[in-house]
Amino acid sequence: MLRTFVCKESLTKTGLINRIYSQLEDQEKIEKKVTKKTISDMLDLSLNEIVEEVKNGNRVVFNDFGVFQLKSRKGFTFKSGLSQEEYIVPTKNYIKFNIKGKTITDINQPKDE
């Protein structure tokens, strides 16, 4: 029996920023006021650094979360069945994410409802 997962909703960048902001707002130990713009800039910087490191051929490892790494999909040539015209599909790079450690066990725990 094949089990399928239906995505109920997506978390957008704005949604993530709002969640982080509300969690920071609840903590009184923060000396300086953190704005949503600051959180957005920090998120952008973090994601850009991950992409740059992976682009340079390095792996980005977050313990108990996962690993980002660069992979390559080999190019190929194929002929169209109708026109017999040859098409070339170039080699493409992509970022692969492997989930690791505690995150695997966390997502496989039954959801409390």
Side-chain angles (χ1 to χ4, degrees):
M1 182 173 154
L2 181 64
R3 292 180 60 193
T4 58
F5 176 76
V6 177
C7 183
K8 295 179 183 172
E9 61 182 65
S10 298
L11 177 63
T12 63
K13 180 182 170 187
T14 304
L16 180 60
I17 290 167
N18 288 336
R19 282 187 189 179
I20 293 170
Y21 181 77
S22 66
Q23 288 177 16
L24 289 176
E25 208 173 35
D26 294 342
Q27 298 176 7
E28 294 177 3
K29 48 186 160 174
I30 298 173
E31 296 174 18
K32 198 173 183 182
K33 183 72 175 164
V34 178
T35 64
K36 288 183 182 181
K37 174 74 172 127
T38 305
I39 296 168
S40 177
D41 291 344
M42 289 170 52
L43 185 59
D44 285 340
L45 286 169
S46 300
L47 295 174
N48 288 341
E49 285 299 314
I50 290 170
V51 170
E52 282 303 312
E53 282 299 308
V54 171
K55 223 165 75 171
N56 292 331
N58 300 321
R59 292 175 47 184
V60 178
V61 180
F62 294 103
N63 293 334
D64 289 332
F65 182 69
V67 178
F68 295 91
Q69 59 188 340
L70 187 66
K71 290 290 185 176
S72 183
R73 196 169 287 127
K74 186 178 176 184
F76 59 93
T77 305
F78 72 94
K79 263 188 191 179
S80 169
L82 297 174
S83 67
Q84 295 297 311
E85 190 174 345
E86 265 194 19
Y87 293 95
I88 298 171
V89 177
T91 300
K92 292 184 180 180
N93 293 327
Y94 63 98
I95 295 176
K96 182 178 180 184
F97 176 74
N98 289 329
I99 193 168
K100 300 286 182 191
K102 186 177 179 300
T103 308
I104 293 173
T105 56
D106 286 349
I107 65 170
N108 286 305
Q109 292 294 324
K111 193 172 184 178
D112 296 334
E113 294 196 29

